Amino acid sequence: MKPIHNFIVKAKLPENIEKLKDIAYNYWWCWDSEAKELFNRMNRKIWNEVHHNPIALINRLPQKELEELSKQYDFTNFLEKIHNKFTRYIKARTWFQEQNIQDKGVIAYFSPEYGINESFPVYSGGLGVLSGDHLKSASDLGLPLIGVGLLYQQGYFRQRLSPNGWQNELYPVNDFYSMPMFLVRDESGVKKIINVDLPNGKVFAQIWKILIGRTYLYLLDTNIDENTNQEYKNITDQLYGGDRETRIQQEILLGIGGIRALNIMGIEPSVIHTNEGHAAFALLEQTRNYMAKYNIDFHSAMNITRGSSIFTTHTPVPAGNEAFNLDRMEVYFKDYIPVLGLTKEEFFAMGQTAGLNYNESFSMTILGLRLTGYHNGVSKLHGKVSQKMWSNIWKCLPVEEVPIDGLTNGIHTHTWLAREFSELYERYLKPSWETDIDNEDIWSAVTTIPNDELWREKQRRRIRLVLFAREYLKTKGQDYLRQDQLNKINEYLDPDALTIGFARRFATYKRPYLIFSDMKRLKNILTNKEKPVQIILAGKAHPHDTEGKQMIQMIIQKVRDFNLEKYVVFLEDYDMVISRLMVKGCDVWLNNPIRPLEASGTSGMKAAINGTLNCSILDGWWDEAYNGRNGFAIGQGEERENNPEVNQLESELLYDLLENEIIPTFYDRGQTRVPSRWVEMMKCSIRSITPMFSTHRMVKEYATKYYFNALEKNKLLLQNNAQSVVELNQWKSKIYANWDKIVIKDIEMKNNHEAWLGKPIEVNVKINLAELSPDDVAVQVYYGSVDVHTNELIDTQYTNLNLIRKDGDFYLYNGTYICETTGKQGFTIRVLPNHPLMIRSSDLYLCKWPY
């Protein structure tokens, strides 16, 4: 029987504790330990039952209990203290305000998932947690940034293991009305709804707003009555769920619908930052808006979008780069393409490597790269990997000049820092450490922390982890643990043993099985009574990843076969709660992917700030973080194929590292019972990693390298009713029409080819520019060492040449460069397009060489 009327029932707080809602409805509380304690004090049992959801906690408490809280002087006093602290945070002067940026437009950050807190389960793993941490630091720094995403009714799956260790997926429904967020409504109280055209009609979505400190996050929800088509209601049902139709629908809604949601709220973003290719359609809609507003064609409007947009690629794994068959793209965009003023062929080519190819899928990553002017991978190594991976888009450029930077990820320190360590830093670091997290000088004071004090806090966190794991297995492990195992659960894990943590998505390239390759050798390591070792594992395989599920099952079965259940435990249903406890409580954080397939990885950063030492393949962020004293490296950065021989080799390297370095160092105790060498490594890890791998550093880098430039470029491109972009597009047409007509000849090296270290090399060249002018191009000498095997230039650099005069149909250019290296050297000449409104010369994918 359906109800005639629907309404929402919420708890009514007594007047003197009504301020509690201000804190509960803003996720600032989740990175302030005292604010979290406030909710813990209300009712610890219910607080844990509702997965740390403050709104659900308030709604679950009986009215009588709320009344009693309002009469408790200690509680009301503490509430007042936290509310004052929250108010000071919101009103404080920020880093962004101190930058004196004139162009303060809105930066819209698009991501398919956000990991803010376990109470808001619309994230699957690293990408989502990074997005959440990005928003938190944007709030701390005061950036005018807003997040845009989708609100999933069932979120990501909950993991349950069967008795034989096979992963099963459950999809509990999220109750949005008992979560810390608001429906966006107009002044009369009517909810704002946007729509997007799909093949079977319009899909409608309502908008939810989440407060994250000073930052807003807007999420779209299609599970509403306006969608009479159940398929469309289900678009925002599950994160990474459904089939290929669901995926393309989600990405159209995220991108095109996300821009429309901002617009219906009166927000016209000046800058777009798309986090991974899933949101790349936002760039098309932003361009369409510019077309309509300034009455210009697509290619002119695209200049504005490109000049003010950032694209971040997150994975070197092909499966992580979304692509759709052209037939599906045609079905979904047949009515949208004409609005852009493009032919079907032109549209398809924007998502392909080098022009239209009916045998190539439409890549969301390529679309994102083509429609943005700023591109980055998520570590220095990943930037280089991405340059190679997408070099075919810029075929005319050397790989090292492909315009994809490496901007390394970070973590929101306060979200992941143990309270015990926070209090240590309060005592021994400058007071400004909390707000000036990326200041390396502040962290040098970590060396002043007494070894025994640092070690004591680490021991406390390990004990907490062991006690949590036992209790968790009692309640959650009943489906896959035998009764005899449950009866002995309090014997599982040793609070004093060296504890290795491995927690991440179970994907083949991450090789979670590596430490279990030689079970006899591993058993000897784990069961050594003098120097015991234990392993805590957690992680989910993607629902469609059968190999990932098999790895979980294989590990669990091996552990049982060798009677190692007391030493190796698997915590099912990995989430942010388990993650926080593990990174804080483990002694070693293990990561052993196939290099270079780990784009960045952030869990090891979270571990490091809590004194947990990383033991990792030199991949992702660890490749640039490892200094020989702040953790352990498996191998020396070799890149090998993923095959049984390599796995065997690297598993032996891991066992050797454990037996010869990690375990002896951990158990090397003097009379003080403190492992001094180990603690010194902990200090080095904290000191070297915390400031450099924080989202404060990361977001500042995005701001200074991309956001501020994009804001300025956006303002410049929109001057005079955007006429400059029309002129820019006309200029591009002239460049394309004349480029193949450019002739480079008479390349001369003066001084009879005599050269020595430090000598200026003088170069002359003649260029016929056809109908172009010298202002349209940059002429460069491109030089370096000559590889003796390939005869190619390596370790290259370039210098602009100067126009000397015109000689008939040719322009004479001259310049010098300095020989800085001995041995066989060489140079060549190139011509690149040049225009003050372009971000870089490579934007046109053109480069003229003499051959």
Side-chain angles (χ1 to χ4, degrees):
M1 187 68 68
K2 293 185 177 180
I4 297 174
H5 296 290
N6 292 311
F7 52 92
I8 306 300
V9 178
K10 297 183 178 180
K12 181 172 175 57
L13 288 171
E15 188 174 348
N16 68 329
I17 62 170
E18 203 165 356
K19 289 179 178 178
L20 195 59
K21 281 191 177 179
D22 293 340
I23 302 167
Y25 273 100
N26 191 310
Y27 269 107
W28 166 84
W29 65 262
C30 79
W31 70 86
D32 185 276
S33 57
E34 287 189 311
K36 285 189 282 188
E37 181 60 28
L38 178 70
F39 299 115
N40 209 9
R41 287 187 185 188
M42 291 174 68
N43 188 308
R44 183 184 297 270
K45 182 175 181 293
I46 295 178
W47 177 238
N48 289 328
E49 286 176 357
V50 298
H51 301 288
H52 306 152
N53 178 343
I55 302 303
L57 169 69
I58 292 169
N59 290 342
R60 280 272 300 272
L61 284 176
Q63 192 66 32
K64 182 180 178 182
E65 200 166 324
L66 291 173
E67 295 289 347
E68 289 174 356
L69 281 171
S70 72
K71 296 171 185 175
Q72 292 177 12
Y73 176 77
D74 286 350
F75 181 80
T76 56
N77 227 25
F78 191 47
L79 170 59
E80 190 68 24
K81 174 188 173 182
I82 300 304
H83 193 270
N84 289 339
K85 187 177 184 181
F86 170 64
T87 303
R88 287 195 304 273
Y89 172 86
I90 296 296
K91 294 181 178 180
R93 183 169 174 79
T94 67
W95 173 84
F96 178 73
Q97 290 171 315
E98 293 172 353
Q99 305 310 300
N100 295 316
I101 302 299
Q102 301 301 313
D103 306 313
K104 297 181 180 178
V106 170
I107 303 158
Y109 178 90
F110 284 75
S111 179
E113 52 173 304
Y114 290 90
I116 310 296
N117 179 259
E118 60 272 10
S119 63
F120 187 54
V122 293
Y123 64 93
S124 69
L127 176 67
V129 173
L130 174 75
S131 301
D133 282 6
H134 195 116
L135 297 192
K136 291 171 185 177
S137 276
S139 168
D140 291 340
L141 299 171
L143 279 180
L145 181 144
I146 55 178
V148 181
L150 301 181
L151 184 62
Y152 305 98
Q153 190 72 62
Q154 296 181 351
Y156 200 52
F157 72 91
R158 308 306 297 263
Q159 181 191 54
R160 289 293 179 268
L161 299 182
S162 66
N164 67 357
W166 187 256
Q167 172 183 291
N168 295 293
E169 295 84 37
L170 300 176
Y171 292 90
V173 175
N174 291 319
D175 177 8
F176 298 155
Y177 293 96
S178 292
M179 298 174 79
M181 54 189 183
F182 309 89
L183 261 177
V184 175
R185 302 178 183 272
D186 62 20
E187 293 179 355
S188 61
V190 177
K191 62 185 181 181
K192 289 183 179 288
I193 293 179
I194 61 101
N195 67 79
V196 174
D197 291 312
L198 293 181
N200 294 327
K202 292 185 182 298
V203 58
F204 298 91
Q206 61 187 5
I207 309 163
W208 294 83
K209 180 169 79 172
I210 295 94
L211 306 178
I212 303 166
R214 302 179 182 95
T215 303
Y216 295 164
L217 170 60
Y218 294 103
L219 302 177
L220 301 180
D221 167 23
T222 61
N223 188 16
I224 55 177
D225 293 338
E226 285 78 1
N227 288 317
T228 55
N229 180 335
Q230 188 62 43
E231 178 189 357
Y232 287 179
K233 274 190 174 184
N234 292 343
I235 289 175
T236 56
D237 196 23
Q238 297 174 4
L239 172 60
Y240 305 137
D243 53 20
R244 297 302 296 163
E245 294 296 303
T246 307
R247 183 62 64 85
I248 194 170
Q249 290 167 3
Q250 286 184 340
E251 300 195 358
I252 290 170
L253 180 67
L254 171 61
I256 297 174
I259 292 287
R260 292 181 183 178
L262 295 178
N263 294 160
I264 203 175
M265 294 183 292
I267 301 170
E268 294 185 9
S270 299
V271 172
I272 303 291
H273 182 178
T274 54
N275 199 25
E276 199 55 283
H278 301 292
F281 292 139
L283 302 164
L284 291 175
E285 183 68 4
Q286 180 82 332
T287 304
R288 189 190 69 82
N289 281 348
Y290 287 135
M291 291 172 65
K293 184 172 183 177
Y294 297 104
N295 193 27
I296 55 180
D297 66 284
F298 177 84
H299 293 288
S300 296
M302 189 176 71
N303 290 327
I304 310 172
T305 303
R306 179 181 282 160
S308 55
S309 298
I310 300 96
F311 180 82
T312 300
T313 177
H314 281 266
T315 177
V317 180
N321 291 278
E322 194 74 81
F324 298 108
N325 292 332
L326 295 191
D327 60 343
R328 301 321 298 152
M329 289 296 295
E330 184 169 7
V331 168
Y332 277 91
F333 284 89
K334 61 181 173 58
D335 295 328
Y336 193 83
I337 294 172
V339 176
L340 300 178
L342 299 174
T343 65
K344 178 177 66 174
E345 291 75 15
E346 288 174 321
F347 181 79
F348 289 161
M350 285 195 298
Q352 297 186 327
T353 306
L356 180 64
N357 180 352
Y358 281 103
N359 295 318
E360 182 181 348
S361 295
F362 187 96
S363 165
M364 297 294 285
T365 299
I366 293 176
L367 179 67
L369 291 170
R370 289 200 185 280
L371 293 184
T372 55
Y374 306 93
H375 326 113
N376 72 283
V378 288
S379 68
K380 291 178 181 177
L381 177 60
H382 181 231
K384 294 176 182 177
V385 170
S386 298
Q387 286 179 315
K388 293 178 184 177
M389 191 170 182
W390 304 108
S391 60
N392 282 342
I393 301 174
W394 290 273
K395 281 185 177 179
C396 62
L397 291 178
V399 170
E400 63 270 17
E401 290 189 36
V402 169
I404 302 177
D405 302 322
L407 198 162
T408 307
N409 283 342
I411 59 164
H412 187 256
T413 306
H414 290 299
T415 295
W416 299 100
L417 185 61
R419 187 167 185 170
E420 293 88 344
F421 277 71
S422 179
E423 290 169 354
L424 265 183
Y425 301 156
E426 283 285 340
R427 291 198 293 275
Y428 292 98
L429 273 56
K430 292 179 181 177
S432 59
W433 78 269
E434 288 192 276
T435 53
D436 205 9
I437 290 167
D438 56 322
N439 186 329
E440 293 183 64
D441 291 339
I442 288 175
W443 292 93
S444 62
V446 167
T447 57
T448 66
I449 301 174
N451 284 2
D452 58 344
E453 205 168 336
L454 183 60
W455 181 242
R456 182 168 61 247
E457 301 305 343
K458 190 62 188 176
Q459 286 180 304
R460 287 175 177 169
R461 290 306 316 189
R462 190 190 316 109
I463 291 168
R464 285 190 63 178
L465 172 60
V466 166
L467 295 178
F468 166 81
R470 289 173 181 172
E471 193 60 33
Y472 192 84
L473 289 169
K474 286 179 189 176
T475 56
K476 299 285 187 178
Q478 295 185 11
D479 290 339
Y480 70 95
L481 293 179
R482 302 186 306 270
Q483 188 58 49
D484 63 308
Q485 292 175 301
L486 290 169
N487 292 340
K488 298 178 180 177
I489 212 74
N490 287 333
E491 299 175 15
Y492 280 36
L493 303 178
D494 178 353
D496 296 316
L498 170 63
T499 303
I500 299 171
F502 182 98
R504 50 191 26 89
R505 183 164 59 90
F506 270 64
T508 307
Y509 77 90
K510 293 178 183 283
R511 300 189 297 181
Y513 51 79
L514 203 67
I515 198 171
F516 300 99
S517 300
D518 185 338
M519 290 302 294
K520 290 183 179 178
R521 190 171 178 183
L522 178 62
K523 185 169 186 175
N524 288 335
I525 291 171
L526 298 180
T527 59
N528 185 324
K529 292 181 180 179
E530 304 262 327
K531 299 175 181 178
V533 179
Q534 58 199 11
I535 302 172
I536 299 178
L537 301 133
K540 299 176 178 179
H542 187 280
H544 300 150
D545 184 1
T546 301
E547 284 186 281
K549 295 181 181 182
Q550 288 172 340
M551 285 190 289
I552 295 173
Q553 186 180 45
M554 177 190 71
I555 290 169
I556 289 174
Q557 194 57 57
K558 279 188 172 184
V559 170
R560 288 176 180 170
D561 290 345
F562 282 82
N563 298 314
L564 292 174
E565 293 100 320
K566 293 180 182 180
Y567 307 93
V568 182
V569 300
F570 188 98
L571 303 180
E572 69 176 3
D573 201 27
Y574 183 44
D575 65 1
M576 291 178 77
V577 176
I578 293 174
S579 178
R580 283 199 303 271
L581 283 154
M582 287 185 66
V583 297
K584 295 172 184 178
C586 289
D587 299 294
V588 172
W589 198 255
L590 181 62
N591 185 33
N592 39 236
I594 285 286
R595 177 185 161 114
L597 298 184
E598 184 78 86
S600 177
T602 56
S603 62
M605 304 173 191
K606 297 160 192 167
I609 64 172
N610 292 290
T612 299
L613 297 181
N614 280 272
C615 174
S616 177
I617 294 286
L618 288 169
D619 196 9
W621 79 284
W622 190 237
D623 183 63
E624 63 196 83
Y626 176 66
N627 65 14
R629 304 178 308 279
N630 60 356
F632 306 95
I634 305 169
Q636 297 179 329
E638 303 90 346
E639 291 187 11
R640 302 183 174 107
E641 296 294 323
N642 187 5
N643 59 50
E645 290 77 15
V646 168
N647 291 337
Q648 173 72 20
L649 169 64
E650 295 192 340
S651 68
E652 289 178 3
L653 288 175
L654 174 56
Y655 292 134
D656 289 345
L657 197 57
L658 284 168
E659 292 169 340
N660 300 326
E661 293 188 46
I662 296 175
I663 297 171
T665 306
F666 182 83
Y667 283 105
D668 181 12
R669 315 284 170 91
Q671 292 181 346
T672 60
R673 307 289 297 164
V674 174
S676 299
R677 285 195 299 142
W678 186 273
V679 175
E680 289 302 322
M681 290 183 73
M682 288 170 60
K683 289 181 180 180
C684 184
S685 175
I686 295 167
R687 188 174 71 250
S688 61
I689 291 172
T690 306
M692 285 303 299
F693 298 95
S694 70
T695 42
H696 272 48
R697 186 275 311 157
M698 181 192 84
V699 174
K700 282 182 182 179
E701 197 172 340
Y702 272 111
T704 55
K705 199 170 185 178
Y706 303 141
Y707 295 160
F708 296 166
N709 290 329
L711 285 167
E712 184 179 345
K713 185 71 74 173
N714 180 264
K715 182 180 179 181
L716 184 63
L717 293 169
L718 295 182
Q719 284 179 349
N720 302 319
N721 207 32
Q723 281 308 297
S724 61
V725 296
V726 176
E727 295 167 4
L728 176 60
N729 199 50
Q730 293 168 348
W731 175 83
K732 287 183 177 181
S733 297
K734 181 179 71 168
I735 292 290
Y736 286 127
N738 285 277
W739 198 254
D740 289 338
K741 301 174 186 176
I742 293 175
V743 176
I744 303 172
K745 77 168 192 173
D746 296 344
I747 302 171
E748 296 179 349
M749 175 183 172
K750 305 201 79 174
N751 303 325
N752 298 318
H753 292 75
E754 292 181 359
W756 54 82
L757 196 65
K759 178 186 177 181
I761 304 297
E762 187 174 353
V763 176
N764 285 335
V765 64
K766 290 181 179 179
I767 311 285
N768 184 325
L769 294 174
E771 299 299 319
L772 303 179
S773 78
D775 290 337
D776 295 327
V777 300
V779 178
Q780 299 174 341
V781 55
Y782 181 81
Y783 59 94
S785 301
V786 178
D787 188 286
V788 295
H789 300 292
T790 65
N791 206 36
E792 296 281 338
L793 289 172
I794 57 173
D795 301 324
T796 52
Q797 301 180 61
Y798 60 86
T799 299
N800 285 340
L801 298 180
N802 301 311
L803 175 65
I804 304 302
R805 66 179 184 273
K806 189 172 183 183
D807 183 6
D809 292 334
F810 285 83
Y811 292 94
L812 176 63
Y813 285 83
N814 170 271
T816 62
Y817 71 92
I818 303 295
C819 265
E820 297 177 345
T821 308
T822 58
K824 192 174 183 181
Q825 303 290 302
F827 71 85
T828 186
I829 301 295
R830 66 181 181 183
V831 182
L832 293 164
N834 182 53
H835 193 284
L837 288 180
M838 292 200 308
I839 294 172
R840 56 177 69 85
S841 296
S842 57
D843 286 354
L844 268 63
Y845 312 102
L846 296 174
C847 181
K848 188 72 173 181
W849 300 91
Y851 37 79

